[in-house]
Amino acid sequence: MKPGPALEAYRRLAAASIARHGGRYLARGGAMTVLEGEWRAGAVLVAFPSMEAARAWYASPDYAEALAHRDDAVERDLIMVDGIDS
């Protein structure tokens, strides 16, 4: 992450858009311990009610506003994983 106004804008806008689409943070930063293999520092895990909700969030105009700040704020890889009902 690159500290500064772009990071703050990205975090604020992304969090608001996630909440509007029914998502919630399960992990956002925090200490990590790599037990096997290699892992880059840092992880954010977000749960959505469904894969469709996650896709709708990612394609939404409100998340697009956050994405306008992304390149100046973070370097990341992003994946979607279909989970299980709990």
Side-chain angles (χ1 to χ4, degrees):
M1 293 195 188
K2 307 169 191 174
L7 178 58
E8 292 309 313
Y10 177 76
R11 282 182 170 169
R12 177 177 45 79
L13 294 166
S17 70
I18 287 167
R20 280 192 292 276
H21 288 270
R24 64 185 176 89
Y25 287 98
L26 300 178
R28 188 176 183 186
M32 290 180 57
T33 301
V34 177
L35 298 177
E36 295 183 21
E38 295 181 31
W39 191 272
R40 293 184 309 176
V44 175
L45 183 61
V46 179
F48 285 91
S50 65
M51 185 64 86
E52 293 77 24
R55 286 187 181 112
W57 160 75
Y58 188 73
S60 70
D62 54 340
Y63 187 57
E65 187 178 357
L67 288 176
H69 301 278
R70 178 195 54 208
D71 291 343
D72 293 328
V74 296
E75 293 179 19
R76 68 180 189 164
D77 297 314
L78 180 68
I79 62 170
M80 289 185 185
V81 178
D82 198 9
I84 58 171
D85 293 331
S86 55

